[in-house]
Amino acid sequence: MDLPVVDLAPFLRAAGGGEEEVRALCATVSASLRDTGALLVKDPRCSAADNDRFLDVVECYFARSADEKRLQERPHLHYQVGVTPEGVEVPRSLVDKDMQEKIKGMPEEFQPATPKGPDPKWRYMWRVGPRPANTRFKELNSEPVIPDGLPEWKETMDSWGSKMISAIEVVAEMAAIGFGLPKDAFTSLMKEGPHLLAPTGSDLQRHGSEGTVFAGFHYDLNFLTIHGRSRFPGLNIWLRNGKKMEVKVPVGCLLIQSGKQLEWLTGGECLAGMHEVVVTKRTLDAIALAKEQNRSLWRVSSTLFAHIASDAILKPLGHFTKTPNADSYPPICAGDYVEQELSVINLKGKDGL
């Protein structure tokens, strides 16, 4: 099964109007998030050249020595800005007993790869967009960390991050319309959210053998996740029907995945999409080609996590209060929810330190 590719241009042209074509596109967006937890979009404002420029800069950064990169590490801020070194983030499937039971119940061909420990990937967290002047969650809304020696870093990160947020906002409006909610039902809650451009860097020179797990089976704790196309494949997602699928992102497209905050706001109608990143046969082919062409062997994902504002309340919206599982999603402050999740995956101490 292929994911649908939704062109955002008609919606942008109509400025969210009620044309039949636009309503059909909105229905496709909401149905795909509900049924598969993912979809592909084309946004005329986000070009393949923009994505390539971003990947070039981030590859340069990850190629630095571990000691150089650790200068941008901020563990006291829960790794929510700056660099997260390899071996820090623990995949949820390694520590969540309920998730482990679910995996055991899957047909063997759909089971995820088993991680051997913390993820061997690096990640850089870069804040995108304005932050609230007053918030209870200061460490989730900290100032960005800028690495030395890359003068183009800030402009490149801000430019690509703002373009991806713009794409997410359009998808959020389309999803709201498709779900029969007011157009701004989601975007109003995203205002001044702790959005993160969070590229990962996986060293295929050191960890390039088939079956290596870079990101163990997990869901994303935020609202919606968006990725530009990586130069190395390896992302597997799980559809709502339990089937596992390797994602192929066409050139010029962006991948959107549903996160846990969307699950909360829809009372479980949309489930957070499960996924993993593993070295596959297709990854090995891409490694061989990169070696031939003398290109970087760092697998960089241009991932952006779009969040609900830290001080906003997560709860089922509108008619989603009547879903069969709505009671499983009691009101909770989004910042409190994020901090709980960060504790589980070892990005924040269990006691909040």
Side-chain angles (χ1 to χ4, degrees), residues 102-264:
K102 276 184 194 156
I103 291 170
K104 280 182 197 163
M106 291 178 176
E108 203 169 319
E109 70 268 31
F110 300 145
Q111 286 186 4
T114 306
K116 302 201 168 32
D119 291 336
K121 68 173 190 286
W122 292 75
R123 190 192 285 286
Y124 206 101
M125 296 289 211
W126 181 262
R127 301 248 162 244
V128 175
R131 290 291 174 270
N134 297 300
T135 176
R136 278 205 298 124
F137 303 96
K138 296 227 178 332
E139 66 277 23
L140 296 182
N141 294 277
S142 310
E143 288 303 305
V145 178
I146 304 174
D148 293 333
L150 285 170
E152 68 276 42
W153 179 270
K154 185 178 187 303
E155 193 276 326
T156 303
M157 300 294 270
D158 286 345
S159 169
W160 186 234
S162 63
K163 287 183 179 192
M164 296 234 281
I165 277 288
S166 295
I168 283 262
E169 286 171 346
V170 171
V171 169
E173 287 186 348
M174 294 175 78
I177 292 167
F179 284 131
L181 296 170
K183 179 176 137 182
D184 68 347
F186 298 131
T187 51
S188 60
L189 294 172
M190 290 170 64
K191 195 170 184 311
E192 296 186 339
H195 313 307
L196 285 169
L197 181 56
T200 61
S202 305
D203 187 353
L204 296 168
Q205 188 84 52
R206 288 176 54 225
H207 303 293
S209 53
E210 189 175 353
T212 299
V213 182
F214 281 122
F217 186 67
H218 68 289
Y219 57 74
D220 290 341
L221 60 85
N222 53 298
F223 171 59
L224 286 173
T225 301
I226 184 167
H227 310 265
R229 188 171 187 267
S230 175
R231 289 170 174 162
F232 297 90
L235 175 67
N236 294 321
I237 66 170
W238 275 259
L239 307 179
R240 184 137 188 175
N241 63 12
K243 289 190 174 172
K244 176 181 176 179
M245 181 179 121
E246 187 172 4
V247 177
K248 297 172 185 172
V249 179
V251 173
C253 286
L254 301 162
L255 173 69
I256 309 271
Q257 289 177 284
S258 55
K260 204 71 177 176
Q261 293 173 354
L262 177 62
E263 181 177 322
W264 218 274

Side-chain angles (χ1 to χ4, degrees), residues 12-48:
L12 290 167
R13 281 197 302 271
E19 295 174 13
E20 204 170 311
E21 178 194 11
V22 167
R23 294 215 164 267
L25 286 173
C26 293
T28 300
V29 168
S30 57
S32 193
L33 289 173
R34 183 186 64 236
D35 298 338
T36 69
L39 77 150
L40 294 162
V41 299
K42 284 179 87 162
D43 187 328
R45 302 165 301 176
C46 301
S47 70

Side-chain angles (χ1 to χ4, degrees), residues 289-336:
L289 184 61
K291 283 179 176 172
E292 272 177 40
Q293 296 175 348
N294 206 24
R295 287 191 285 108
S296 170
L297 290 179
W298 277 88
R299 182 194 188 276
V300 174
S301 74
S302 60
T303 301
L304 184 140
F305 300 122
H307 278 261
I308 298 304
S310 301
D311 297 276
I313 301 298
L314 288 177
K315 62 180 181 180
L317 301 177
H319 60 86
F320 290 120
T321 57
K322 297 182 172 59
T323 63
N325 296 319
D327 290 349
S328 303
Y329 301 93
I332 183 172
C333 195
D336 288 326

Side-chain angles (χ1 to χ4, degrees), residues 39-60:
L39 77 150
L40 294 162
V41 299
K42 284 179 87 162
D43 187 328
R45 302 165 301 176
C46 301
S47 70
D50 292 331
N51 190 40
D52 282 338
R53 185 166 75 109
F54 170 82
L55 293 177
D56 289 344
V57 171
V58 178
E59 281 176 359
C60 279

